[in-house]
Amino acid sequence: MALIYELTPAIVFLPLASFALALFFGQWMPKKGAVAGILATLGTLGLSLVTLWWLVLTGEPHDATWYTLVDADGAVNLTFGILIDQLSAAMLVIVSLIAFLVHVFSLGYMNDEGEPGLPRYYAGLGLFTASMLAFVIADNLFMAFVFFELVGLCSYLLIGHWFGEDAPPSAAKKAFLVTRFGDYFFLVGVVGVLVTFGTAGFAGSEGFPALAEQALTGETSVNTFGLSTEGWFSVLGLLVLGGALGKSAQFPFHTWLPDAMEGPTPVSALIHAATMVAAGVYLVARMYGFYALLPTVLGVIAFVGGFTALFAATMAVVKNEIKQVLAYSTISQYGYMMLALGAGGYVAAFFHLTTHAIFKALLFLGAGSVIIAMHHEEDMWEMGGLKDEMRTTYLTFLAGSLALAGIFPFSGFWSKDEVLFETLVHALGGSPLLFGAYAMALSAVFLTGFYTIRMVLLSFHGEPRSDTAEDPHGVGWNVKFPLVVLGALAVVAGGINLLPVEKLLGGSLHLAFLEGYLGQDIGLLTHGEHYSELLHDYAGYRSEYIGNEVTTILLGAGLSLGLALLGAVSAYGLYRGAAPARHTEKLGGVQTLLMHNYYQDEYQVWLAEGLTVRLSAAADTFDQGVIDGTVNAVSSVSLFSGGRIRRIQSGVVTNYAALIVLSLLALLVVFAILGGWL
């Protein structure tokens, strides 16, 4: 084993150590634990980059077991282990980079603002980062579930950081409960996988995706509990998908994410860009060798993703708080990633996950810079005129916004275009469900361009609309540094996979670096080329083009870019000028519907109070009246009979002899009657 893989556990243990230091000694540490967190995440980032470099250089993966919990031959095998392949190595870099920059930004947002509870805050960030990193390198579904839940716990603690106020604890509880609902399905799915295959391993010929493929081909047999093999596997896939949809805030589990904005802004950046919300998409990508076998489940993933992309974008159009706009954009963008996975675009999904992590972290940290300057005012209608006073924040925020809107040549354009392209060509190849998902995602492109440019104009352009906006608070280097780094990446990150350009040039230049990296066969059956074969053989995904491939690329990219520009120009026409009007108020009842988020919260409250509580009350009544009543009645009879029988246990031998004789006589009478003697 290479030396680098011996050091890989430190990627998790460094932020875990910062958690322990901040929790127990943070009160006496420099910057209340911030320095320890920065150094830990910087070390994690360095080790992650070296690990990625080593894998790219050698093509040597690492799959090893740390600890065996249960080893029952022929039954169930539960282990804790580490899996470093193309997917996990790249994800380690993303998570550690964003975590490092969030820690640096927190110096300006939390420490400089004199926020209370800083040791607790940095301890939470450290545990959050360590949990996500451990989830990324988990080599089996059981281990992934454990750290999946720990990520959820950390989100609860960080969203509710300001627990002395009313809103943050409520938002934290909502996030915890909604995601737990999805995780119940995930847990049942984990148990189902273990019962079916005896293992939960992701990789290799002994992993459950490979065993599932063998079962479908008839090479092996598994217990499918009376269902067809594909039917039972689809049930398992949908159960695990429940957890993924909950964490990634996909419909109908999306309602927790906008409320999570009650937490500190750096936490929002970490949640949205690289940890909790990314965990669901990463889970589906991690076990893609299993999902690629199941066309029905792929269709569900694609349709839910496309619908969520459009559904969330409609709500972002009318929001007035800058973090709320970004929250709904996150839901929408993760919808694109789910769409890509469901449509067979494994590389496209991870590509968009990468670019989104960069520009969404940038936008949230940029929003945090604006909130500092505005003395924690988040209403965009109270801002305006900030572009001259906050030049660095404005330019970097604009770069992130153009990436989010999918404007050429920023990173979001390339990744979103690839998602749409993969969906379109597989829809043309004979998957009609994908046409509906494609149409919804394409509609969301226009809305994304609209609400993104609206956000930029209301926040930075025009005349100041409040006294605070006229004299904003300055921000320091610890705020500007992460913005500059992420701003530069938001411009150039699309260069890691310029597949359309490579196709247009006829393949003369190798520009699809991510495609080649994720497609590389390193012997673990976890690479893109293997997934393409599965999608073709089992899901029936085939690529068809409008004319030819180049024509389809140009038409698709042109349509997507045209819609994004149309949305951006529409927003510019409505909100430019010194004093923009509140145009969304003209929507009347539609605005009310969108501002109330289609009354999804009210619907969930009704489900909780009107249905769940009543069912619980009825169940409690049945439990106490019937179940407990029956048990108590049986016990009363037993106690009564026992009390009476106890009275004859006097210890007098003559009494026992009399009882024996009387019993014998009674038996004789019974036998006489039944036998016809009398």
Side-chain angles (χ1 to χ4, degrees), residues 52-84:
L52 177 62
W53 170 82
W54 177 259
L55 187 63
V56 172
L57 185 67
T58 66
E60 179 185 336
H62 182 57
D63 186 12
T65 299
W66 283 349
Y67 183 75
T68 300
L69 297 173
V70 177
D71 188 8
D73 292 338
V76 175
N77 185 25
L78 292 179
T79 63
F80 270 29
I82 181 173
L83 172 61
I84 303 295

Side-chain angles (χ1 to χ4, degrees), residues 87 91 132 135 148 241 243-245 247-250 275-288 291 330 333-341 346 349-350 352-354:
L87 180 66
M91 193 66 185
M132 185 64 191
F135 170 73
F148 200 73
L241 182 64
L245 295 180
K247 282 291 193 293
S248 289
Q250 298 295 283
T275 53
M276 186 168 172
V277 190
V281 169
Y282 180 82
L283 177 63
V284 176
R286 179 74 282 169
M287 50 184 295
Y288 203 62
Y291 281 117
T330 296
Q333 294 306 304
Y334 276 97
Y336 280 103
M337 299 173 210
M338 285 293 185
L339 169 63
L341 290 168
Y346 169 74
F350 188 77
H352 199 53
L353 175 64
T354 303

Side-chain angles (χ1 to χ4, degrees), residues 401-427:
S401 297
L402 294 174
L404 170 61
I407 304 299
F408 177 87
F410 294 85
S411 59
F413 165 79
W414 301 102
S415 57
K416 188 183 293 184
D417 180 65
E418 188 167 340
V419 170
L420 294 171
F421 174 77
E422 291 288 348
T423 306
L424 176 60
V425 297
H426 288 139

Side-chain angles (χ1 to χ4, degrees), residues 428-655:
L428 294 170
S431 301
L433 181 68
L434 296 182
F435 277 115
Y438 176 78
M440 290 186 289
L442 202 58
S443 302
V445 171
F446 168 80
L447 296 176
T448 304
F450 182 89
Y451 70 67
T452 302
I453 300 305
R454 171 180 179 265
M455 173 180 64
V456 173
L457 292 171
L458 290 179
S459 301
F460 292 95
H461 288 250
E463 296 294 328
R465 293 184 291 276
S466 67
D467 294 338
T468 308
E470 290 182 353
D471 186 25
H473 188 281
V475 296
W477 70 268
N478 41 23
V479 171
K480 294 178 181 179
F481 171 72
L483 296 180
V484 172
V485 173
L486 291 169
L489 290 174
V491 177
V492 304
I496 65 174
N497 204 53
L498 297 177
L499 184 62
V501 179
E502 180 179 307
K503 296 290 186 181
L504 291 174
L505 295 176
S508 57
L509 292 175
H510 179 57
L511 300 175
F513 302 108
L514 188 64
E515 193 86 25
Y517 169 71
L518 291 178
Q520 179 188 10
D521 184 0
I522 56 177
L524 292 179
L525 303 178
T526 60
H527 58 281
E529 188 63 33
H530 177 62
Y531 296 152
S532 296
E533 295 172 1
L534 297 180
L535 289 166
H536 180 274
D537 296 340
Y538 293 92
Y541 278 15
R542 292 169 176 79
S543 298
E544 296 290 342
Y545 306 103
I546 303 172
N548 54 52
E549 187 175 15
V550 173
T551 302
T552 307
I553 289 173
L554 292 174
L555 288 174
L559 181 58
S560 174
L561 180 59
L563 287 172
L565 290 173
L566 181 61
V569 171
S570 300
Y572 182 78
L574 291 173
Y575 293 98
R576 63 184 176 90
R582 295 178 180 259
H583 294 285
T584 56
E585 293 182 352
K586 300 174 184 178
L587 297 174
V590 175
Q591 185 201 27
T592 304
L593 179 67
L594 297 176
M595 288 295 291
H596 285 84
N597 308 321
Y598 295 94
Y599 297 98
Q600 288 291 297
D601 288 324
E602 288 81 356
Y603 173 68
Q604 290 185 354
V605 169
W606 176 82
L607 282 177
E609 296 181 351
L611 182 63
T612 306
V613 172
R614 293 183 180 180
L615 288 175
S616 300
D620 183 63
T621 301
F622 178 81
D623 178 63
Q624 295 188 34
V626 179
I627 305 299
D628 288 352
T630 301
V631 173
N632 293 334
V634 172
S635 66
S636 297
V637 171
S638 299
L639 290 171
F640 178 81
S641 303
R644 295 298 182 270
I645 294 173
R646 185 176 58 191
R647 292 181 180 181
I648 64 178
Q649 301 295 319
S650 60
V652 180
V653 176
T654 54
N655 291 346

Side-chain angles (χ1 to χ4, degrees), residues 110-380:
M110 300 294 288
N111 293 68
D112 291 357
E113 294 295 294
E115 297 288 351
L118 287 176
R120 174 168 48 85
Y121 170 79
Y122 286 110
L125 281 187
L127 185 59
F128 202 9
T129 304
S131 302
M132 185 64 191
L133 292 168
F135 170 73
V136 168
I137 64 174
D139 76 335
N140 64 83
L141 194 60
F142 171 74
M143 181 180 173
F145 174 78
V146 172
F147 289 104
F148 200 73
E149 294 303 291
L150 193 54
V151 166
L153 173 63
C154 294
S155 71
Y156 168 79
L157 297 173
L158 287 168
I159 294 169
H161 175 73
W162 292 313
F163 59 85
E165 304 174 12
D166 293 332
S170 177
K173 287 186 288 186
K174 183 177 182 179
F176 189 80
L177 292 173
V178 173
T179 56
R180 287 296 74 68
F181 185 77
D183 291 347
Y184 291 140
F185 295 102
F186 186 6
L187 177 59
V188 176
V190 172
V191 174
V193 168
L194 288 169
V195 170
T196 302
F197 302 105
T199 180
F202 291 127
S205 59
E206 299 300 320
F208 74 89
L211 296 176
E213 183 182 355
Q214 293 171 19
L216 288 173
T217 59
E219 296 178 36
T220 61
S221 62
V222 295
N223 186 1
T224 60
F225 301 91
L227 300 176
S228 66
T229 304
E230 184 179 330
W232 175 242
F233 290 173
S234 296
V235 170
L236 295 178
L238 289 171
L239 287 170
V240 176
L241 182 64
L245 295 180
K247 282 291 193 293
S248 289
Q250 298 295 283
F251 181 87
F253 305 113
H254 64 281
T255 56
W256 68 269
L257 191 59
D259 288 16
M261 300 303 97
E262 296 293 341
T265 298
V267 172
S268 299
L270 193 57
I271 288 176
H272 287 246
T275 53
M276 186 168 172
V277 190
V281 169
Y282 180 82
L283 177 63
V284 176
R286 179 74 282 169
M287 50 184 295
Y288 203 62
F290 184 70
Y291 281 117
L293 305 170
L294 310 171
T296 301
V297 181
L298 288 175
V300 171
I301 295 172
F303 195 83
V304 169
F307 177 79
T308 303
L310 177 59
F311 184 69
T314 61
M315 292 180 280
V317 167
V318 302
K319 300 302 178 184
N320 296 322
E321 295 183 2
I322 188 170
K323 287 175 64 177
Q324 285 288 309
V325 176
L326 294 176
Y328 282 99
S329 81
T330 296
I331 299 171
S332 180
Q333 294 306 304
Y334 276 97
Y336 280 103
M337 299 173 210
M338 285 293 185
L339 169 63
L341 290 168
Y346 169 74
V347 177
F350 188 77
F351 186 22
H352 199 53
L353 175 64
T354 303
T355 61
H356 178 266
I358 293 168
F359 65 69
K360 186 52 58 73
L362 168 62
L363 290 172
F364 266 109
L365 296 184
S369 177
V370 170
I371 291 169
I372 293 172
M374 292 294 298
H375 300 282
H376 293 270
E377 175 63 66
E378 298 185 18
D379 190 343
M380 295 184 296

